[in-house]
Amino acid sequence: MNKAQKWLSFFALSMTGGIIFQVAYIRFVYLEPTYTALNLSSQQYGNIISAFGAVAIVMYFFGGWFSDKFSPKLLIVISLVGMGIADIYLATVPGFWGVVAAHIAMAVVGMGLYWSALVKSISMLGDSGEQGRLFGFLEGTRGIVSTAIGFIGTAIVAASVVPAHGVLTLIRIYGVLSFVFAAIVWFVVREDKTRLAGLDSATVTLKQLLAAARNRYTWLIGGTAMLMYCFYTTLGYFSPLLQGNYGVSASMIAVIGVVRSYVFQFVAGPAGGVVVDKVTRSSALFLRWMFAGSAVLAALFLVLPRTASLAWLALVMMFVLCALVFASRGVYWSTVGEVEVPEQERGGVIGLASGLAYLPDAFLPSLCAWWIGDSSASPKVPEQGGGYSALFVFLLVAALLGLVMTTLTARTRRRELAARHTAPVSDPVPAGV
């Protein structure tokens, strides 16, 4: 393909990333209006999101197999159509089990079919020297599209007399957009069949997983990512905290949700990578600072009085926490290359570490729903198990464990390098021997 076709394909593919997961993760912006619109309780919705997370974790392991067996472009088109159908079906308010089925379908098409196919499609658009730039622009484009659509969505919801009705309209719009982008990808994206045939397999085999399980870095990297992902998973639950405890208006909550979920994605992520390259020279050291800052903020949220007069401080603290979380998300997988995991083992290490990393999605939404209750329900569901205090204690412990994991990673790597530099050099064999 020529240069114009290459970049047209790139932007079409990248923009799909800003569309396809909007409904699956709509709770990050519209938590209460979404479960209200679907006629669910906060706890029921939390349980459904946890089920979605559990299926998504399993699907990550199958994604490579699908992208090896089928055309990545075809998989992306099928994923977008499938997600569009799931979105439209969800907007019919199909009842508890219907919502469960829709979310399971979203996990299958999103993580099983779409994600690995997208990664493979983007990687085919450039040579080895362009991969960093391509994937950096991918994340930036996804963030920009998500932000633009997010702000349009807030206007739609704000214009609705009942926010829940606005959310249903928004879900339908996202479904239609998925169909539109499926057509765009089908007609615009070019696929290099020769290069596709020459790519290495993306399937993670059982042998690779067993080898990864014996690599200490699998557990250090996966554990570190999981602990930071705990913060990411709980960000959506700051909305009821700000609204119910600090008196922030519902219209502001939606705008805050878009900024929190999307703006920081394309601002903080690249910034974290620059700091690692130019300042810390180590992902583990950078992440240690991120965990230290997160620990301080979790402790401050734990003791901060929950009154309307301190809403501005709570908001600033939340935005700083978002910056730390998204800066970390843009960095923690780079540790795999830094510690020189052998190329033939990287698929297994990333696969197993990813399973660990995204584990919070399988239990934290349900647990958070139990902790925070639902003050808008009738009858009111009170905070349980310690409420927000329990949540912030949990996050504080996660941050402290993250400090331990990143310290262990840095020390392990330092010892390896020291051992390599002090290893005795064998005497050369005399000529003729």
Side-chain angles (χ1 to χ4, degrees):
M1 67 182 76
N2 59 41
K3 191 171 183 179
Q5 290 174 326
K6 166 186 168 179
W7 285 108
L8 193 59
S9 296
F10 171 80
F11 284 114
L13 291 168
S14 298
M15 290 175 73
T16 66
I19 296 294
I20 192 167
F21 294 116
Q22 288 289 341
V23 176
Y25 292 101
I26 197 170
R27 71 186 188 276
F28 284 104
V29 181
Y30 308 103
L31 178 63
E32 182 186 322
T34 299
Y35 64 71
T36 301
L38 297 175
N39 289 334
L40 300 172
S41 69
S42 173
Q43 187 64 63
Q44 285 176 319
Y45 188 55
N47 294 343
I48 290 170
I49 295 301
S50 289
F52 165 84
V55 175
I57 290 170
V58 176
M59 286 298 106
Y60 274 116
F61 290 98
F62 288 96
W65 183 86
F66 281 114
S67 68
D68 284 343
K69 296 295 183 182
F70 304 99
S71 158
K73 172 183 171 179
L74 178 62
L75 288 176
I76 291 170
V77 170
I78 292 172
S79 301
L80 287 162
V81 171
M83 194 68 80
I85 292 171
D87 292 350
I88 298 297
Y89 175 67
L90 194 64
T92 66
V93 192
F96 177 81
W97 290 110
V99 177
V100 170
H103 279 79
I104 289 175
M106 289 177 187
V108 172
V109 300
M111 284 66 179
L113 303 184
Y114 173 80
W115 187 247
S116 290
L118 178 69
V119 171
K120 179 167 279 192
S121 294
I122 294 295
S123 67
M124 287 192 298
L125 294 175
D127 56 31
S128 59
E130 296 178 287
Q131 295 300 304
R133 180 173 51 174
L134 282 171
F135 282 98
F137 283 142
L138 167 65
E139 193 66 17
T141 303
R142 289 176 63 208
I144 291 169
V145 172
S146 296
T147 302
I149 292 176
F151 279 123
I152 293 171
T154 61
I156 292 171
V157 175
S160 301
V161 177
V162 180
H165 294 169
V167 167
L168 290 178
T169 300
L170 197 56
I171 291 174
R172 294 186 190 99
I173 292 172
Y174 289 145
V176 171
L177 285 174
S178 292
F179 294 136
V180 170
F181 274 91
I184 290 173
V185 169
W186 181 256
F187 290 109
V188 169
V189 172
R190 297 290 182 268
E191 200 167 66
D192 189 332
K193 302 293 184 182
T194 303
R195 186 162 188 184
L196 178 61
L199 290 179
D200 292 335
S201 172
T203 304
V204 179
T205 65
L206 180 59
K207 182 179 179 181
Q208 288 176 312
L209 290 176
L210 291 174
R214 295 191 293 269
N215 189 321
R216 72 187 76 181
Y217 284 118
T218 300
W219 306 101
L220 290 171
I221 295 170
T224 297
M226 177 186 69
L227 292 165
M228 186 55 75
Y229 199 74
C230 288
F231 282 87
Y232 176 75
T233 302
T234 57
L235 286 178
Y237 294 91
F238 281 69
S239 292
L241 171 69
L242 293 172
Q243 187 173 356
N245 291 268
Y246 290 99
V248 178
S249 67
S251 58
M252 276 301 298
I253 288 294
V255 175
I256 290 167
V258 172
V259 174
R260 179 182 61 211
S261 301
Y262 305 131
V263 173
F264 282 99
Q265 179 182 18
F266 69 85
V267 173
V274 171
V275 173
V276 169
D277 289 344
K278 303 295 185 181
V279 182
T280 66
R281 308 287 183 180
S282 164
S283 297
L285 294 179
F286 174 78
L287 288 168
R288 187 161 65 183
W289 282 109
M290 297 299 98
F291 276 117
S294 299
V296 171
L297 288 165
L300 288 175
F301 268 115
L302 187 60
V303 300
L304 185 69
R306 294 168 195 166
T307 63
S309 61
L310 293 175
W312 65 273
L313 181 56
L315 192 57
V316 169
M317 287 165 52
M318 185 198 70
F319 281 148
V320 173
L321 181 61
C322 288
L324 299 181
V325 170
F326 279 96
S328 300
R329 276 169 56 85
V331 163
Y332 47 56
W333 294 119
S334 65
T335 310
V336 174
E338 283 185 12
V339 300
E340 298 178 290
V341 173
E343 290 283 351
Q344 65 273 19
E345 295 180 19
R346 289 189 183 184
V349 169
I350 292 174
L352 187 53
S354 295
L356 289 172
Y358 302 120
L359 191 60
D361 265 348
F363 69 90
L364 256 187
S366 182
L367 184 58
C368 286
W370 182 70
W371 274 333
I372 70 175
D374 185 3
S375 59
S376 65
S378 182
K380 177 181 177 181
V381 179
E383 293 183 0
Q384 301 175 77
Y388 274 104
S389 294
L391 172 61
F392 292 126
V393 168
F394 173 85
L395 292 177
L396 177 58
V397 171
L400 294 175
L401 288 174
L403 281 170
V404 172
M405 297 293 281
T406 50
T407 299
L408 287 174
T409 303
R411 287 182 178 177
T412 300
R413 180 59 178 164
R414 191 161 55 243
R415 287 170 183 166
E416 283 182 350
L417 293 175
R420 181 185 302 175
H421 292 149
T422 58
V425 180
S426 300
D427 292 332
V429 179
V433 176

